[in-house]
Amino acid sequence: MVATGMSVIIRMELSSGNSQFLHGNNQVFNVMVTGHAIAMIFLFVMPVIIGAFGNFYLPIMIGAMDMAFARLNNIIDFGIFAIHLTSISSLLGAINFIVTFLNMRTINVLYFTAILLLLSLPVLTGAVTLLLMDRNFNTGFYEVGAGGDPVLYEHLF
């Protein structure tokens, strides 16, 4: 939606010879064009067109059962790993905030936010760790057939 909005602004700006919306600010126009291109390529074309539709329709179009390297389609694992890393880094940041507040003998809103993060992030990190292990190391924490509990994922989140 952001890229489409940028495209509309660019097209409206170029619809006449005079600058109408950006008031002759060439820098803003250049930022709009670049932002539109980056958003469309990295947030739409690559993940949606190639990632989703391409991986789904290409085997259908050529009559194959699946892609040649089906495990390469598990890009969602990288997304899960990114959540894993950010939850660990936020957990460590929360500990750092709490210790800093206690050492400085002051308390404000960030202190309470850090406490809430310290209470919630270990559970999120654990749930994501179990999910990564299920997807990549053949464990069965969430698989019913392996003795796991699919509702555990919902309860942990």
Side-chain angles (χ1 to χ4, degrees):
M1 291 175 61
V2 171
T4 302
M6 289 180 185
S7 174
V8 168
I9 292 171
I10 292 166
R11 290 172 194 277
M12 288 179 4
E13 187 70 19
L14 294 175
S15 65
S16 71
N18 298 329
S19 180
Q20 323 178 67
F21 300 101
L22 303 178
H23 305 293
N25 192 340
N26 295 334
Q27 176 65 25
V28 174
F29 181 78
N30 290 339
V31 167
M32 284 283 184
V33 170
T34 305
H36 167 73
I38 289 172
M40 288 302 289
I41 291 170
F42 292 107
L43 300 177
F44 182 71
V45 172
M46 287 173 29
V48 176
I49 303 296
I50 300 298
F53 291 124
N55 283 321
F56 180 72
Y57 286 118
L58 179 63
I60 294 171
M61 289 188 315
I62 64 174
M65 293 296 294
D66 201 354
M67 297 291 286
F69 299 107
R71 290 291 287 178
L72 289 179
N73 287 333
N74 285 339
I75 192 65
I76 189 167
D77 289 344
F78 290 121
I80 295 168
F81 188 64
I83 292 171
H84 181 74
L85 289 179
T86 56
S87 65
I88 290 173
S89 67
S90 295
L91 178 64
L92 295 175
I95 292 170
N96 191 17
F97 275 114
I98 292 169
V99 171
T100 302
F101 281 125
L102 293 177
N103 283 340
M104 300 301 288
R105 292 179 176 79
T106 182
I107 291 178
N108 66 16
V109 176
L110 284 178
Y111 178 77
F112 295 109
T113 304
I115 293 289
L116 292 174
L117 285 174
L118 188 65
L119 294 174
S120 63
L121 285 176
V123 180
L124 172 67
T125 305
V128 171
T129 303
L130 296 178
L131 181 62
L132 281 171
M133 291 176 67
D134 274 3
R135 292 186 54 84
N136 295 299
F137 301 113
N138 295 325
T139 59
F141 295 106
Y142 302 120
E143 285 288 328
V144 175
D149 184 11
V151 185
L152 173 65
Y153 187 75
E154 295 174 15
H155 288 298
L156 288 175
F157 277 99

